[in-house]
Amino acid sequence: MIFGTGIDLTEISRIDQMQVKHPHFADKVLTSKELLQYDQLKGQSKREFLAGRFSLKESFSKAYGTGIGEQLSFQDIEILNNEVGRPILTHTVFDGEAHVSVSHIHDLVVTQVILEKESV
């Protein structure tokens, strides 16, 4: 049974600006394991990864029903790429199944998260 859905649209240039304004922005948004994947990337791929993870975590928080804030932080959600590059939710406060999707085009990243539980 679907517990919640969330979708987010983020401008990659906005994330770039946050990085300039707040040099530790990536450390705030990404878990230590996500930072390891992020640090392996260069150029546009690195920009898309950070914007994508930010957007996925926003989508998750919407599907979860709390938003990012007092009840849920960026560090409570971890999304790592599996061996073929597919983003997989690896750590979260949610005890059901999560389906995540991310897509990039030009300066935009769009993400969707669907959360499922046996019973709501």
Side-chain angles (χ1 to χ4, degrees), residues 41-94:
L41 302 171
K42 303 232 184 292
Q44 183 68 11
S45 293
K46 193 167 195 163
R47 295 174 66 229
E48 288 176 352
F49 183 91
L50 181 57
R53 289 312 183 267
F54 175 86
S55 185
L56 278 167
K57 292 179 182 199
E58 286 287 331
S59 288
F60 177 91
S61 73
K62 292 170 184 176
Y64 193 61
T66 62
I68 298 289
E70 289 183 30
Q71 295 180 27
L72 185 68
S73 79
F74 288 113
Q75 295 297 312
D76 292 326
I77 310 158
E78 182 175 80
I79 303 127
L80 299 174
N81 289 346
N82 70 8
E83 62 280 351
V84 295
R86 180 180 174 203
I88 304 292
L89 196 67
T90 56
H91 172 76
T92 181
V93 296
F94 183 66

Side-chain angles (χ1 to χ4, degrees), residues 2-9 55-65 99-102 110-116:
I2 293 181
F3 175 84
T5 63
I7 190 167
D8 188 72
L9 181 67
S55 185
L56 278 167
K57 292 179 182 199
E58 286 287 331
S59 288
F60 177 91
S61 73
K62 292 170 184 176
Y64 193 61
H99 308 277
V100 302
S101 182
V102 60
V110 62
T111 58
Q112 180 178 30
V113 172
I114 300 170
L115 300 178
E116 277 188 284

Side-chain angles (χ1 to χ4, degrees), residues 9-73:
L9 181 67
T10 298
E11 292 174 306
I12 297 171
S13 60
R14 182 174 144 244
I15 301 303
D16 292 342
Q17 291 168 0
M18 293 298 290
Q19 279 278 84
V20 170
K21 189 174 179 179
H22 305 284
H24 297 289
F25 181 74
D27 296 323
K28 178 181 176 184
V29 172
L30 302 175
T31 66
S32 59
K33 289 179 183 177
E34 288 169 329
L35 278 167
L36 290 173
Q37 289 188 341
Y38 174 72
D39 288 339
Q40 300 296 312
L41 302 171
K42 303 232 184 292
Q44 183 68 11
S45 293
K46 193 167 195 163
R47 295 174 66 229
E48 288 176 352
F49 183 91
L50 181 57
R53 289 312 183 267
F54 175 86
S55 185
L56 278 167
K57 292 179 182 199
E58 286 287 331
S59 288
F60 177 91
S61 73
K62 292 170 184 176
Y64 193 61
T66 62
I68 298 289
E70 289 183 30
Q71 295 180 27
L72 185 68
S73 79

